[in-house]
Amino acid sequence: MAALQPTSLSKHPLSSGTPTIFGSKVQSGDLLPTQFRFWTSFRSKTGVKLKASAEPPALTRELKGDELKGIMEMESGCDLFDKLKNGFLSFKSHKYMENLECYQALAKGQAPKFMVIACADSRVCPSTILGFEPGEAFMVRNVANMVPTYESGPSETNAALEFAVNSLEVENVFIIGHSCCGGIRALMSMQDKAESSSFIRSWVIVGKNAKLSTKAASSNLSFDQQCTHCEKESINNSLLNLLTYPWIEEKVKKGMLSLHGGYYDFVNCTFEKWTLDYKGSIMNGKNRVVVKDRLFWC
């Protein structure tokens, strides 16, 4: 990817502060008119010209190829972060300052009721979908919202679980899956005996049991329908995996912790929620989820 060379302007041309050129500082008043002419020319003409100074005109040259591409990429990047800047300032004005007491309390500690395990997919932000406010949910997001078994060893997901359950003492663990999940599609597509060094394959294999049960229950369905089935089956597989953690099962058994599954269909904008029936699942030998309190929101 092309980018401006280090010898070009080190700051955005219209930014505040003292800009640096070739490692030396100049007064912003000496440079700004030239910078402004360049960026005005860039935005208004297809034949872009770089004006090193107001005079002499002999220093004017056409920008070509990678130089032009690099400048356009830099400007695009600035636009992206301008959007984030505006978003932050809006948050500070309309959320933070208007709820200052709440945010000051959060600065001293957190006591969320929920631990949420959701997919890393950019379309399924739990806070946006379910309205979680800061301090209400401790979250971890990974590919296909999976939970490995206790025996699988350390991962960022079970590290987050340990902290949430044992230190924060959350009362609910909520695993949220979604429609059109690329991680589940990868799981359903991979060959059982294929050798691969793919990080994705090494991770989604956590859901192998969900894939097997999906194949057994819906082999007559299309591949897309099987993927949809597996998206929900994988949530239940992860709920069972949660019970392999001794400190999670102990709290569930005592009624101190509840395990929930959720499924967000962003094609039709619907949401399903259910809760693991611990006693019913135990009676089935911990290999089949029994659920209760199933709800459908649309």
Side-chain angles (χ1 to χ4, degrees):
M1 182 181 293
L4 286 182
Q5 299 301 315
T7 51
S8 59
L9 303 185
S10 63
K11 288 191 176 183
H12 189 289
L14 299 182
S15 63
S16 58
T18 304
T20 303
I21 303 179
F22 305 111
S24 61
K25 292 186 177 181
V26 297
Q27 297 299 315
S28 58
D30 296 336
L31 183 63
L32 187 57
T34 300
Q35 295 172 322
F36 184 75
R37 282 195 299 277
F38 162 64
W39 284 93
T40 302
S41 174
F42 172 71
R43 292 180 178 275
S44 62
K45 298 180 182 179
T46 55
V48 181
K49 293 186 177 182
L50 174 62
K51 298 186 178 181
S53 62
E55 293 179 356
L59 294 180
T60 300
R61 67 179 178 86
E62 292 282 345
L63 281 178
K64 298 179 181 179
D66 288 348
E67 290 178 305
L68 178 56
K69 182 180 178 183
I71 291 172
M72 294 177 70
E73 286 176 350
M74 184 180 74
E75 187 184 47
S76 175
C78 291
D79 290 343
L80 286 174
F81 280 94
D82 281 345
K83 179 182 178 182
L84 298 184
K85 172 188 172 183
N86 292 335
F88 170 73
L89 294 178
S90 176
F91 158 76
K92 185 173 183 179
S93 298
H94 300 108
K95 291 278 190 177
Y96 185 90
M97 296 307 296
E98 292 178 6
N99 300 278
L100 187 58
E101 185 176 343
C102 175
Y103 282 99
Q104 287 178 335
L106 287 175
K108 299 176 182 177
Q110 58 176 324
K113 301 293 185 183
F114 281 90
M115 160 70 175
V116 172
I117 301 170
C119 186
D121 193 301
S122 64
R123 300 166 290 183
V124 292
C125 175
S127 295
T128 300
I129 298 163
L130 299 175
F132 285 116
E133 295 291 340
E136 292 183 345
F138 187 79
M139 295 190 190
V140 63
R141 298 176 67 176
N142 62 44
V143 173
N145 45 271
M146 292 183 177
V147 177
T149 62
Y150 178 78
E151 294 77 16
S152 297
S155 72
E156 78 288 345
T157 299
N158 48 36
L161 274 167
E162 182 179 5
F163 181 71
V165 173
N166 293 337
S167 297
L168 296 179
E169 299 184 334
V170 298
E171 298 173 6
N172 303 276
V173 177
F174 197 6
I175 302 175
I176 302 173
H178 66 94
S179 57
C180 306
C181 181
I184 295 298
R185 198 171 188 88
L187 171 66
M188 292 295 292
S189 300
M190 69 185 190
Q191 300 299 315
D192 292 337
K193 296 182 180 180
E195 295 294 331
S196 174
S197 59
S198 166
F199 291 129
I200 295 175
R201 176 185 170 83
S202 298
W203 172 252
V204 299
I205 199 69
V206 168
K208 183 179 179 180
N209 287 340
K211 175 184 178 179
L212 294 175
S213 60
T214 294
K215 290 290 187 181
S218 58
S219 58
N220 60 319
L221 300 180
S222 69
F223 180 72
D224 287 344
Q225 290 172 320
Q226 289 182 31
C227 286
T228 298
H229 185 282
C230 191
E231 285 162 358
K232 298 179 182 181
E233 194 65 26
S234 178
I235 298 168
N236 288 333
N237 182 66
S238 286
L239 287 173
L240 288 177
N241 285 350
L242 285 173
L243 295 179
T244 66
Y245 294 80
W247 29 273
I248 289 181
E249 184 176 19
E250 181 183 0
K251 289 198 172 187
V252 172
K253 188 185 298 185
K254 292 179 179 179
M256 300 168 62
L257 180 66
S258 296
L259 309 180
H260 312 276
Y263 181 79
Y264 170 49
D265 179 348
F266 59 68
V267 176
N268 300 300
C269 197
T270 61
F271 196 94
E272 297 177 58
K273 171 267 172 190
W274 58 92
T275 298
L276 175 76
D277 183 336
Y278 174 70
K279 291 183 179 179
S281 298
I282 288 299
M283 291 177 63
N284 279 276
K286 291 188 181 180
N287 57 6
R288 182 173 175 273
V289 167
V290 176
V291 303
K292 62 183 180 180
D293 301 333
R294 185 181 290 274
L295 300 173
F296 186 78
W297 305 328
C298 61

